[in-house]
Amino acid sequence: MRVVLAEDLFLLRDGLVRMLEAFGFEIAAAVESGPELSRALAELKPDVAVVDVRLPPSFTDEGLQCALAARRETPGLPVLVLSQHVEQLYARELLADGMGGVGYLLKDRVFDADQFTDAVRRVAAGGTAMDPQVISQLLSRRSRDRPMEKLTPREREVMELMAQGRSNTAIAGELFVTERAVAKHTSNIFTKLGLAPSDDDNRRVLAVLAYLDRGARE
Amino acid sequence: MAAGRGLYIAVVSLAGSIALLVLSVLSIGFIALGVGVLTTPVVLGAVRSFAEWRRRLGQDWAGVRTPSAYRPLPADLRPGLAGQAERCARLLRDPATWRDLLWLPVDMTAGFFTAALPAVLLAFAAEGVAIAAGLWRVLGDGYWFAFIPVRGQVSALAAGVLGLLVLAGALRVNPALLQAHFRLTGAVLAPSKEALARRVERLSETRHDAVDTSAAELRRIERDLHDGAQARLVAMGMSLGTVEALLEKDPEQARKLLAAARQDSAEALTELRDLVRGIHPPVLAERGLGDAVRALALRMPLPVEVEADLPGRFAAPVESAAYFAVSEVLTNAAKHSGAERVWLDVHHDAASGTLRMTVTDNGRGGADPSAGSGLAGIERRLGTFDGILAVSSPAGGPTLVTMELPCVLSSQKTSSS
């Protein structure tokens, strides 16, 4: 799987290259600035891009902007954005086109190599990988809204993992329950939130996030 | 010397003041017709340089310093008609402009009189001497030199003596008269003393607050680092040291300690992240005030409707002050108001160069800025930048907090949302 990596700090870039290579990824390019990233994405068309939000020369959200621009050029181009901080605002912008294939994680998540590479693969496959921090913010915020109050604590746990982009199998493993139980919880959640059930991992996350997003505006 | 200068000023000021006053009045009057918009900045510019020239002369010739207090025009004024209209509006809003215009009629009357007086005195003295020297023969019998009727050589000599006395007096008082002229100019042109005093008082007060606040802020940061991230890193180092020792003897225990060390590093990161957010929020640095308050609103535990319309970015300290003020008001609303919804409106009024932020909630009201709450802190924070805070919060609600910061846009918008 060919990866384009953009990270301006040498230590982190080097570490990420080594980690990804150790897990069998092919590093198509490892760049350190916004313009280089845009060029690499346009020319190399990687299977997935791993991008730091803040990049030179502007040291603002240049990485995010480059990723969004590249996705406008190539719809659905898988992008996993890494950041020193996570903001719902940015998460929403990434999810806004509804194409899937996006991830937004705190940089610390690379500590757990297995989970991190799993997230990269999930994004490359068109799924989503949202940082638990984004999700928990969304859920704690919405807990005052009526639809969320209808969920049982277990259903909320399932929903959190589901919103991160995990598959039913992964959720079952995490919560030590059977896959069937997870499927039952998810369909309950969809019913309570008034969403049509769907098997598609990516679409259900988008549906959940879109629903929460709408909740914030109404 | 003083007389020559005075005469020069008298002639030039009379002509200049009359011409400029007439032009200014006409030009400002023609604004209603449209033409004035184009001519007024030019005319007012001329008035300004005329006044500045007089200030300079006062300094050079009589040692009278007259401070000028024109408001600076923003450097990035648009070209063309729109820019000219804005320039015109800004000039007309400047109190210094109106002081200039008030000074013109004063200058052509009292100013002219005081400037011309030294020369008039000299001429008068010269006339007395000339009469004594024989001019009395030419003049008719009924001629009066001041209080002396000129009737013959004797009275002519008296006139000459008076002329010499006036000359001696004139040489003595003329510099003072010239100085008086410039003092008069200064009295009209200088910004008023009380206004200056008030301004100085306010500045030293807000500077004091700003220094206090930033010192407290530094102490907080130091304490947070010391008790938080630093302590965690030490704990992590100790865990790793123990792991090293246990690695062979007790791998199971070592594994547990490693997990704890990783937990410590994650928590240290979280603390550092929160600290950074408290110093300068990342979104503010990356996107500016508009998106920063949007991101802030998303983190609030209650729904906040954000209306932010900013055409560009402001100076970093202003953005920061505005952000933290909004943050504090929103937090207050979430904690104390019992509100279910909050509305936040942030916009920049280009005409007055003001950033206006309003926070409205549908809570129970009763917020009081004088009760020593966080509102007083916000007032101080804004005060450093000449900003103001107004709170309307009747018991039973709703609460409306309005904040205003004078500021100019420093750069064009960098991001699309």
Side-chain angles (χ1 to χ4, degrees):
Chain A
M1 193 177 289
R2 291 165 67 245
V3 184
V4 162
L5 181 69
E7 163 65 59
D8 56 319
L9 296 175
F10 171 76
L11 277 177
L12 269 176
R13 186 170 66 245
D14 200 43
L16 279 169
V17 167
R18 261 184 289 162
M19 179 199 281
L20 289 172
E21 278 176 347
F23 278 79
F25 291 89
E26 181 198 336
I27 305 295
V31 300
E32 53 184 312
S33 78
E36 284 177 288
L37 170 64
S38 298
R39 221 174 308 130
L41 289 179
E43 285 169 12
L44 301 173
K45 299 257 186 286
D47 297 317
V48 59
V50 178
V51 174
D52 184 9
V53 165
R54 212 179 269 203
L55 283 182
S58 68
F59 287 104
T60 60
D61 59 344
E62 189 148 349
L64 179 65
Q65 300 294 352
C66 287
L68 290 172
R71 276 173 67 86
R72 277 193 293 274
E73 283 289 303
T74 316
L77 175 77
V79 175
L80 173 61
V81 172
L82 292 178
S83 176
Q84 212 65 260
H85 62 102
V86 295
E87 291 290 347
Q88 286 188 45
L89 193 73
Y90 294 176
R92 280 158 202 245
E93 286 175 8
L94 279 164
L95 289 165
D97 61 11
M99 303 287 298
V102 287
Y104 181 41
L105 296 179
L106 272 177
K107 279 189 177 170
D108 335 358
R109 305 296 170 212
V110 302
F111 284 4
D112 191 329
D114 281 323
Q115 269 194 29
F116 177 68
T117 50
D118 179 46
V120 177
R121 287 207 181 86
R122 219 156 58 221
V123 170
T128 55
M130 284 294 128
D131 198 276
Q133 226 184 56
V134 177
I135 309 301
S136 66
Q137 260 181 30
L138 276 169
L139 289 178
S140 71
R141 163 78 179 283
R142 291 303 123 218
S143 66
R144 289 189 178 190
D145 292 3
R146 284 191 311 108
M148 294 300 298
E149 278 171 11
K150 294 187 214 150
L151 299 188
T152 64
R154 175 58 84 169
E155 281 165 357
R156 283 176 58 93
E157 280 177 337
V158 172
M159 168 120 168
E160 243 177 279
L161 290 166
M162 189 169 77
Q164 284 173 27
R166 305 295 189 81
S167 66
N168 279 6
T169 324
I171 295 174
E174 184 107 350
L175 298 178
F176 302 108
V177 293
T178 63
E179 225 170 295
R180 280 187 54 149
V182 174
K184 203 164 149 269
H185 285 312
T186 53
S187 80
N188 278 347
I189 292 169
F190 284 134
T191 315
K192 286 182 179 176
L193 298 183
L195 296 165
S198 151
D199 300 323
D200 187 345
D201 283 346
N202 168 30
R203 288 208 19 205
R204 66 183 192 174
V205 171
L206 288 179
V208 170
L209 286 174
Y211 176 80
L212 293 170
D213 198 28
R214 207 169 55 234
R217 284 172 211 288
E218 271 164 8
Chain B
M1 180 86 137
R5 287 174 167 177
L7 192 62
Y8 169 60
I9 291 176
V11 172
V12 177
S13 78
L14 190 64
S17 297
I18 293 178
L20 285 172
L21 183 65
V22 170
L23 281 177
S24 304
V25 170
L26 283 179
S27 181
I28 293 174
F30 280 156
I31 288 179
L33 300 177
V35 192
V37 174
L38 293 175
T39 55
T40 303
V42 180
V43 174
L44 288 181
V47 172
R48 237 169 229 212
S49 31
F50 187 58
E52 286 286 37
W53 171 69
R54 296 294 287 281
R55 287 191 180 97
R56 245 189 347 268
L57 282 189
Q59 170 81 52
D60 294 348
W61 288 359
V64 178
R65 235 189 111 254
T66 308
S68 65
Y70 297 113
R71 288 181 189 164
L73 285 175
D76 58 343
L77 226 46
R78 285 164 295 174
L81 201 60
Q84 194 72 354
E86 198 181 335
R87 194 170 290 131
C88 181
R90 277 177 186 275
L91 283 171
L92 288 180
R93 264 200 307 273
D94 189 345
T97 300
W98 295 101
R99 276 197 298 272
D100 281 356
L101 292 179
L102 175 68
W103 166 71
L104 290 176
V106 174
D107 188 51
M108 66 176 132
T109 52
F112 170 76
F113 180 71
T114 48
L117 198 55
V120 170
L121 282 178
L122 283 190
F124 186 69
E127 189 193 356
V129 175
I131 287 172
L135 187 66
W136 64 274
R137 289 177 207 278
V138 185
L139 295 167
D141 215 22
Y143 190 81
W144 285 72
F145 179 71
F147 52 86
I148 302 168
V150 182
R151 290 223 179 78
Q153 188 60 52
V154 181
S155 53
L157 277 176
V161 171
L162 181 61
L164 287 173
L165 282 175
V166 170
L167 178 66
L171 288 178
R172 188 175 279 261
V173 302
N174 272 359
L177 281 175
L178 191 65
Q179 201 167 29
H181 166 80
F182 283 115
R183 278 194 204 288
L184 179 70
T185 302
V188 185
L189 279 186
S192 78
K193 276 259 169 49
E194 303 96 278
L196 274 178
R198 267 202 305 278
R199 176 96 188 115
V200 168
E201 196 178 319
R202 169 125 183 94
L203 283 180
S204 41
E205 204 175 285
T206 53
R207 186 187 63 174
H208 191 79
D209 285 342
V211 170
D212 271 4
T213 314
S214 69
E217 194 76 339
L218 280 178
R219 274 199 301 281
R220 181 186 65 81
I221 293 166
E222 191 271 341
R223 205 174 44 236
D224 282 0
L225 278 177
H226 188 267
D227 299 347
Q230 226 170 321
R232 288 202 189 283
L233 289 174
V234 170
M236 202 172 112
M238 289 196 304
S239 301
L240 288 176
T242 321
V243 167
E244 208 169 23
L246 286 178
L247 207 52
E248 313 225 307
K249 277 185 284 170
D250 190 352
E252 193 44 43
Q253 182 65 17
R255 192 191 303 279
K256 272 187 199 148
L257 281 173
L258 268 182
R262 198 168 80 178
Q263 185 63 26
D264 274 333
S265 82
E267 274 164 25
L269 268 173
T270 309
E271 273 165 14
L272 284 174
R273 203 169 280 135
D274 289 347
L275 197 61
V276 167
R277 210 192 281 289
I279 299 169
H280 194 67
V283 187
L284 186 61
E286 287 161 4
R287 294 277 186 89
L289 187 59
D291 277 356
V293 296
R294 278 190 198 101
L296 179 66
L298 288 173
R299 277 200 304 278
M300 283 292 142
L302 74 175
V304 180
E305 217 159 282
V306 183
E307 190 80 46
D309 180 20
L310 301 171
R313 297 201 53 170
F314 307 100
V318 173
E319 279 193 338
S320 181
Y323 175 87
F324 283 110
V326 168
S327 163
E328 190 112 8
V329 174
L330 287 181
T331 311
N332 273 351
K335 265 195 206 151
H336 307 302
S337 74
E340 280 162 7
R341 283 196 100 78
V342 179
W343 292 266
L344 167 65
D345 183 89
V346 179
H347 72 271
H348 182 252
D349 182 6
S352 61
T354 316
L355 175 65
R356 193 167 291 121
M357 300 165 286
T358 53
V359 180
T360 318
D361 68 52
N362 59 359
R364 66 177 83 91
D368 181 8
S370 61
S373 63
L375 285 171
I378 301 171
E379 203 163 17
R380 275 204 303 279
R381 203 189 268 280
L382 295 174
T384 317
F385 298 89
D386 278 341
I388 48 168
L389 169 86
V391 180
S392 150
S393 186
T399 299
L400 169 64
V401 178
T402 308
M403 294 169 282
E404 282 190 6
L405 271 175
C407 57
V408 287
L409 288 162
S410 68
S411 70
Q412 283 311 299
K413 201 166 187 169
T414 51
S415 105
S416 54
S417 50

